Amino acid sequence: WHGMASFGLNLPALQAGWQTMLVTISLLASAWCALPLQTVWHWTNRVRGISITSLREGRKLQGLPPGTMMKQSMSLRACWDEFLSSQRLLPLAFMLPALLLAFLPSGIEFNKRAVASTAAGGFVVAFTLFLAERACMRAEVAIAKRYRSFALTDALANEAEQQGA
């Protein structure tokens, strides 16, 4: 680093730039992770809504087509309206902890606020992963219960058929 200072680089400004870039990346990662979480929630709600008759018929649930939750080629006004809808407020809510810690404790030096902000962004990303895993677990449990009840119903029907014959 001292060799770079001899080239006329302002090291405190370079360090502040790197810290600002880290905070920005943390904010973007916090906001971006909400979009796949919304897709997981949408898919697991569809999975939990499967009826037992579809299991008997052997129909398979189709996956979500690519880009279901992330619409593209929209006008600026449509993008703004979509952003203000409830689906787009979740990324803003996920950015909020990192954003608040980047600016609010104004009496603290920026490098300490940058560390706190990136830590909050990492926590938000980890919490999002936890929520997605929990939603998938709940969907798997719901499907397992439906398969178990289907198997039990089928076994009881076979037993009644054999007794009737």
Side-chain angles (χ1 to χ4, degrees):
W1 288 103
H2 296 293
M4 292 175 68
S6 64
F7 290 117
L9 292 175
N10 186 1
L11 291 182
L14 184 65
Q15 184 177 9
W18 279 107
Q19 290 168 348
T20 304
M21 185 181 70
L22 284 174
V23 169
T24 304
I25 290 172
S26 173
L27 288 171
L28 292 175
S30 298
W32 179 81
C33 70
L35 298 176
L37 177 64
Q38 287 176 329
T39 305
V40 167
W41 281 344
H42 180 68
W43 182 78
T44 55
N45 284 338
R46 285 183 59 195
V47 167
R48 286 190 312 205
I50 295 175
S51 65
I52 199 160
T53 57
S54 65
L55 295 176
R56 279 192 202 117
E57 295 168 1
R59 289 186 304 178
K60 301 244 185 227
L61 180 66
Q62 298 298 319
L64 293 176
T68 299
M69 300 300 286
M70 299 175 200
K71 296 178 180 151
Q72 298 170 352
S73 68
M74 293 172 30
S75 69
L76 186 60
R77 175 70 182 171
C79 287
W80 180 251
D81 291 340
E82 184 75 19
F83 183 75
L84 290 178
S85 72
S86 63
Q87 286 185 346
R88 298 300 181 211
L89 288 178
L90 190 63
L92 286 179
F94 279 28
M95 281 176 57
L96 197 59
L99 192 62
L100 288 176
L101 287 175
F103 293 109
L104 274 188
S106 59
I108 300 175
E109 300 170 354
F110 179 70
N111 57 0
K112 292 180 181 176
R113 287 184 290 165
V115 169
S117 176
T118 54
F123 175 75
V124 167
V125 171
F127 185 67
T128 304
L129 181 62
F130 168 74
L131 290 176
E133 286 293 328
R134 187 169 184 268
C136 287
M137 183 258 324
R138 289 178 62 201
E140 289 173 2
V141 166
I143 289 297
K145 285 180 182 178
R146 286 194 184 101
Y147 273 117
R148 190 178 322 131
S149 63
F150 172 69
L152 183 61
T153 306
D154 192 37
L156 291 176
N158 287 342
E159 183 69 27
E161 220 175 81
Q162 287 177 359
Q163 287 179 0

